[in-house]
């Protein structure tokens, strides 16, 4: 039974450099901070970081799964608060969970939580789905 | 610096962009989506960000894309996007302010298919000082 306050099951996605390259190609965002460690360090980043929109896309998959398909996702928003840091040769987690915030007119609003290595990476993350 | 006179104005992007199945397939593969009959909710960022770059870096607007950071993002999806959709993009510069030397621009993108609004997307873009 889903009601306001219900906490949805957590899901963990894993990101590595190969996924960042695949997202760069799929999205057209070839900014070197997402692929080239030397360049990322030169602009003051701790390492290569994931595209914020890749993080948002993965959390979007969590939302689509809950909604029973992408066609039922009506609204989706997020603030990029901290980067997901992806060192070479590692798989880093993106851990996603959600709480039901509102149920009205055949729609469910979710408040989402996304962390990587224990750090919250998205803020103000919300979705409205038809369900 | 962004030309403040552009705030509140709407700019048309490229005439029309046709979504291909292979583009949807590649995006779905990255996020592990097995239903490729419609585009995932954030797929159209691919169109929107490219159009924003083309529009906002025009000489009369003058945004510096090289120091850009994505602050936040919102989508309102009125109709799912599918392969074969021909989309037009219009970008509206909704607000602009400078804080601690950073330029903060809020831009809305409206994607239309056959004259009907399909997706509105809001992006806050920050040009670092």
């Amino acid at each position: 039974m889903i009601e306001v306050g219900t906490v949805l099951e957590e899901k963990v996605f894993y990101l590595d450099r190969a996924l960042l390259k695949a997202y760069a190609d799929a999205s057209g965002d070839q900014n070197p901070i997402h692929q080239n460690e030397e360049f990322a360090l030169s602009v003051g980043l701790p390492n290569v970081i994931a595209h914020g929109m890749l993080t948002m896309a993965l959390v979007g998959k969590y939302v689509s799964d809950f909604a029973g398909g992408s066609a039922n996702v009506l609204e989706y928003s997020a603030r990029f608060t901290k980067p997901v840091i992806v060192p070479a040769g590692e798989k880093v987690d993106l851990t996603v969970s959600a709480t039901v915030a509102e149920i009205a007119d055949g729609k469910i609003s979710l408040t989402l939580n996304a962390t990587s290595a224990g750090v919250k990476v998205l803020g103000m993350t919300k979705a409205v789905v038809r369900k | 610096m962004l030309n403040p006179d552009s705030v509140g104005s709407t700019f048309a992007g490229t005439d029309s962009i046709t979504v291909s199945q292979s583009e949807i397939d590649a995006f779905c593969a990255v996020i592990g989506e097995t239903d490729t009959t419609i585009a995932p909710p954030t797929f159209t960022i691919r169109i929107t960000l490219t159009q924003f770059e083309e529009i906002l870096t025009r000489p009369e607007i003058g945004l510096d894309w090289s120091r850009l950071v994505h602050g936040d993002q919102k989508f309102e999806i009125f109709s799912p996007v599918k392969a074969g959709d021909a989309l037009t993009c219009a970008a509206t510069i909704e607000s602009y302010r400078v804080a601690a030397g950073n330029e903060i621009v809020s831009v809305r993108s409206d994607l239309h298919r056959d004259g009907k609004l399909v997706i509105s997307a809001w992006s806050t873009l920050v040009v670092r000082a």
Side-chain angles (χ1 to χ4, degrees):
Chain A
M1 174 72 186
I2 288 172
E3 53 192 19
V4 172
T6 298
V7 177
L8 306 183
E9 193 179 347
E10 182 177 284
K11 177 169 178 175
V12 183
F13 297 90
Y14 290 95
L15 295 86
D16 59 13
R17 292 282 180 88
L19 193 73
L20 270 53
K21 175 71 170 80
Y23 185 79
D25 292 340
S27 68
D29 183 348
Q30 299 284 354
N31 188 325
I33 62 173
H34 308 301
Q35 296 186 48
N36 182 327
E37 187 164 331
E38 199 178 328
F39 183 86
L41 295 172
S42 77
V43 295
L45 293 167
N47 206 319
V48 164
I49 62 169
H51 308 71
M53 285 308 303
L54 168 58
T55 306
M56 192 171 177
L58 292 167
V59 176
K61 171 68 167 80
Y62 179 96
V63 173
S64 292
D65 286 349
F66 170 74
S70 299
N72 295 322
V73 180
L74 306 175
E75 291 178 34
Y76 179 35
S77 58
R79 181 170 292 175
F80 305 107
T81 47
K82 294 273 185 192
V84 174
I85 298 163
V86 185
E90 287 187 29
K91 282 189 183 291
V92 303
D93 76 296
L94 173 67
T95 302
V96 185
S97 62
T99 305
V100 175
E102 194 183 343
I103 304 175
D105 306 327
K107 296 176 188 174
I108 298 178
S109 302
L110 300 178
T111 303
L112 293 130
N113 189 44
T115 63
S116 180
V119 176
K120 188 172 180 171
V121 291
L122 296 181
M124 308 278 289
T125 312
K126 292 176 183 167
V128 178
V129 305
R130 191 189 298 117
K131 191 157 171 135
Chain B
M1 296 288 281
L2 186 116
N3 176 2
D5 293 341
S6 63
V7 178
S9 296
T10 299
F11 302 88
T14 310
D15 288 344
S16 176
I17 296 147
T18 302
V19 175
S20 74
Q21 186 62 53
S22 64
E23 289 169 335
I24 293 178
D25 290 349
F27 202 96
C28 286
V30 172
I31 62 172
E33 179 57 78
T34 52
D35 179 3
T36 59
T37 59
I38 65 166
T42 65
F43 171 82
T44 54
I45 197 69
R46 183 190 158 83
I47 296 167
T48 294
L49 278 185
T50 308
Q51 293 289 296
F52 281 169
E53 179 172 7
E54 191 275 314
I55 292 166
L56 296 172
T57 58
R58 289 175 188 170
E60 68 272 26
I61 302 176
L63 196 76
D64 181 355
W65 198 259
S66 69
R67 289 180 296 132
L68 200 81
V69 177
H70 202 165
D72 62 39
Q73 181 65 37
K74 177 181 179 180
F75 298 91
E76 276 190 30
I77 304 167
F78 305 104
S79 170
V81 168
K82 295 186 168 82
D85 284 358
L87 303 174
T88 58
C89 178
T92 303
I93 301 173
E94 292 197 328
S95 73
Y96 174 72
R97 65 193 173 93
V98 178
N102 297 313
E103 295 177 77
I104 301 162
V105 192
S106 294
V107 203
R108 187 182 84 241
S109 134
D110 292 321
L111 295 178
H112 288 82
R113 176 181 54 215
D114 300 329
K116 280 187 141 175
L117 184 59
V118 175
I119 292 184
S120 288
W122 289 259
S123 304
T124 302
L125 306 173
V126 181
V127 181
R128 292 177 294 145

